Amino acid sequence: MTKTLITNGTIVTAADTYKGDVLVDGEKIAMIGKGLKAAGAKRIDATGKYVIPGGIDVHTHMELPFGGTFASDDFHTGTVAAAFGGTTSIVDFAVQGMGEPLEKARDAWLRKARGKAVVDYGLHMIVRDVSDKVLKEMDVMVKDGVSSFKLFMAYPGVFMVDDASIFKALSRTAENGGLICMHAENGGVIDVLVKRALAAKNTAPKWHALTRPPEAEAEATYRAFRLAEMAGEIPLYIVHLSSSQALEQVRLFRDRGLPAYAETCPQYLFLSIDNYDEPGFDGAKYVMSPPLRERWHQEELWKGLARNDLQVVSTDHCPFCMTEGFQGLPKQKQLGIGDFSKIPNGAPGVETRMVLLYDGGVVQKRITLNRWVEVTSTTPAKIMGMFPKKGTIAVGSDADIVIWDPRSTSTISAKTHHMRVDYNPYEGRKVKGKASVVLSRGEVIVQKDKFVGTKGRGRFIKRGSPILQT
Ligand code: URP
Ligand code: ZN
Ligand code: ZN
């Protein structure tokens, strides 16, 4: 088995920062110490660099079918991009076909990933109809390592489920050890607002945001937590939280000692509703749900992260191209020219999460170095049932390790990124920090700005029940 000795780095975990060496034996971390020796081991000099657990992005959509097209990254292009950005595990969303068994969706997504993914991957299951049969299938999913389920309170007629279904699914997770992940927006109200806007000939991308107000997110967030409370104080995880009003609801329930959890995403920390005013149809780049908010929300979300009302930063990576024919892809964002409601929802981000959070969080002193590791790796691993195999630098953990260069500077651009999409929402942004060497289960997969792993080397992560802390 290959041994690798990472020497003289500053090891950073969610809890500690210290100088030391890390010995990797095969796929695992074998030893941590000072002045370690290992005859015949490959050496990586990490002097002046941080040695951190690989990033874990628990919210991606590779090849998601949406609005008549598919997200443009597949498990190969998307995970190569993840690796370049210092992310060594993802959790993607399989989608239940209406009236179809969950197993079918799980197997379809495993087929999409197998032979393609270059980092390890888990799956959540999007549940679209919560019948008694499906509730039983959820138990099987949990046993097989697909231990979390996304429900939608938005997109009536497509993904949305009613309160009774949510209540039943929540109760089921109390028995089977799974976790409900909630897309919290009031879909009924949004639909009315969308219809009104289109009737008034308001068709530009900005109307996507104007018809999805923060109150619609706050109301659904509150309702979801109340349903979880009524079901027996069941843990609930809100995905892609975007607004101060929704965060207020999370805080309300957490302050009452209830198991309320939420993630936000870089787009809500760095971009704003002003981006929809970019010329021509460029606002479509930022059409995602929930939408970007007024700038003042950003500082509230940063505070939420620093104070642990928000526990995770994921990406909701769901890219669609602006131009038809990019790398042979069909028309995507342009499907919504003349009708904002037909713009496929989503934006790219799997490659830029770690650096944006490092640069905008740690360098700007909004969060500490340890908190950066915690929200991008350790807590996602815990909440999504992968810890301590993933999410830390510890003896016995998978050797998913990033050698992070804090001094490197770069400019984010679609010209240099690795995601299969023709724009970058952060185009031109100068950032500090970079994943200079990336190991996945002991194998170097990125070094010297090159991907050196092999297509399909990524493995399915059989996840367990969430480890939840307040
Ligand atoms: O706009 C988004 N977020 N697209 C992906 C689907 C979802 O709701 O996460
Ligand atoms: Zn969602
Ligand atoms: Zn999503």
Side-chain angles (χ1 to χ4, degrees):
M1 272 205 287
T2 315
K3 286 189 180 174
T4 305
L5 186 60
I6 303 167
T7 58
N8 293 318
T10 299
I11 299 164
V12 184
T13 67
D16 299 300
T17 307
Y18 57 100
K19 286 239 160 68
D21 307 332
V22 179
L23 178 63
V24 174
D25 191 354
E27 299 193 344
K28 303 279 181 191
I29 295 171
M31 224 184 274
I32 302 169
K34 279 215 165 96
L36 294 185
K37 303 255 178 300
K42 217 164 67 185
R43 290 172 81 89
I44 298 174
D45 179 13
T47 306
K49 313 240 167 53
Y50 297 132
V51 179
I52 60 168
I56 301 179
D57 187 347
V58 296
H59 192 148
T60 68
H61 299 282
M62 305 304 171
E63 269 188 88
L64 175 78
F66 195 105
T69 185
F70 288 83
S72 57
D73 263 322
D74 64 14
F75 273 87
H76 181 234
T77 58
T79 56
V80 167
F84 271 107
T87 287
T88 54
S89 304
I90 62 165
V91 186
D92 205 81
F93 290 82
V95 186
Q96 179 200 16
M98 211 57 190
E100 291 187 347
L102 301 183
E103 283 86 345
K104 191 173 170 190
R106 189 246 343 250
D107 293 348
W109 253 259
L110 287 175
R111 276 196 300 277
K112 284 180 202 261
R114 271 194 204 125
K116 283 191 178 166
V118 304
V119 301
D120 292 349
Y121 54 92
L123 293 177
H124 310 277
M125 179 63 62
I126 292 178
V127 181
R128 296 169 71 191
D129 78 277
V130 189
S131 63
D132 287 349
K133 186 166 158 289
V134 168
L135 286 167
K136 288 198 193 100
E137 290 170 5
M138 286 170 70
D139 303 348
V140 178
M141 286 295 116
V142 175
K143 282 205 192 83
D144 290 352
V146 179
S147 52
S148 43
F149 305 90
K150 183 175 178 187
L151 301 178
F152 283 80
M153 301 169 93
Y155 305 115
V158 185
F159 290 124
M160 190 168 115
V161 290
D162 62 15
D163 291 352
S165 298
I166 294 170
F167 185 74
K168 284 186 212 166
L170 279 161
S171 308
R172 197 74 181 197
T173 57
E175 289 165 29
N176 64 24
L179 178 71
I180 299 295
C181 304
M182 190 65 78
H183 180 128
E185 285 185 297
N186 185 317
V189 169
I190 288 168
D191 242 28
V192 173
L193 295 175
V194 168
K195 285 196 180 97
R196 278 186 197 161
L198 291 175
K201 307 233 175 322
N202 293 316
T203 60
K206 185 164 195 167
W207 285 89
H208 174 76
L210 298 176
T211 54
R212 303 183 91 94
E215 290 75 15
E217 188 184 16
E219 184 280 327
T221 304
Y222 175 83
R223 182 159 37 101
F225 282 133
R226 274 293 189 210
L227 291 168
E229 189 180 7
M230 284 190 278
E233 303 191 356
I234 311 295
L236 174 64
Y237 179 86
I238 303 290
V239 293
H240 48 46
L241 186 141
S242 69
S243 67
S244 169
Q245 289 91 326
L247 175 60
E248 245 174 63
Q249 307 311 311
V250 182
R251 199 176 299 124
L252 184 79
F253 283 85
R254 288 180 67 78
D255 286 352
R256 290 180 47 220
L258 292 161
Y261 303 91
E263 63 175 26
T264 189
C265 311
Q267 52 269 34
Y268 305 120
L269 295 164
F270 294 99
L271 304 173
S272 79
I273 195 164
D274 300 339
N275 288 96
Y276 295 110
D277 291 327
E278 289 180 15
F281 188 62
D282 278 4
K285 292 174 181 172
Y286 313 96
V287 167
M288 62 188 79
S289 297
L292 300 178
R293 305 300 187 186
E294 287 174 15
R295 195 171 289 279
W296 64 268
H297 290 261
Q298 294 172 4
E299 284 315 311
E300 294 304 311
L301 297 182
W302 280 111
K303 272 189 234 157
L305 266 183
R307 295 174 187 167
N308 205 36
D309 286 321
L310 296 169
Q311 299 79 38
V312 170
V313 179
S314 67
T315 61
D316 196 7
H317 176 77
C318 190
F320 296 101
C321 292
M322 287 292 287
T323 42
E324 189 176 357
F326 176 77
Q327 292 191 15
L329 290 161
K331 196 183 270 192
Q332 301 204 303
K333 290 285 188 185
Q334 289 170 325
L335 290 166
I337 291 176
D339 180 350
F340 68 87
S341 73
K342 295 205 166 60
I343 301 171
N345 285 200
V350 75
E351 189 170 353
T352 45
R353 179 185 67 130
M354 297 295 286
V355 76
L356 284 168
L357 263 285
Y358 178 77
D359 181 67
V362 181
V363 176
Q364 297 301 318
K365 298 196 179 348
R366 287 167 165 142
I367 53 172
T368 65
L369 203 48
N370 307 95
R371 183 69 180 152
W372 172 57
V373 169
E374 191 168 33
V375 299
T376 56
S377 179
T378 310
T379 303
K382 287 182 178 171
I383 294 185
M384 294 305 163
M386 297 180 262
F387 187 83
K389 185 177 163 66
K390 308 285 188 191
T392 193
I393 306 272
V395 172
S397 292
D398 279 0
D400 290 355
I401 299 174
V402 172
I403 316 296
W404 187 266
D405 181 353
R407 272 179 287 277
S408 172
T409 53
S410 61
T411 304
I412 296 175
S413 175
K415 291 194 190 83
T416 48
H417 76 201
H418 302 86
M419 299 177 283
R420 183 160 63 172
V421 62
D422 58 351
Y423 77 96
N424 193 302
Y426 309 96
E427 185 71 34
R429 191 181 185 98
K430 289 188 172 51
V431 285
K432 229 176 164 178
K434 178 185 171 170
S436 61
V437 183
V438 178
L439 290 90
S440 163
R441 276 183 285 99
E443 186 186 339
V444 173
I445 58 168
V446 172
Q447 66 181 357
K448 296 190 182 137
D449 295 322
K450 291 232 158 25
F451 179 72
V452 293
T454 48
K455 188 174 177 181
R457 63 167 299 289
R459 275 191 211 143
F460 174 66
I461 308 166
K462 195 171 172 201
R463 295 180 298 115
S465 293
I467 299 170
L468 299 169
Q469 293 155 324
T470 45

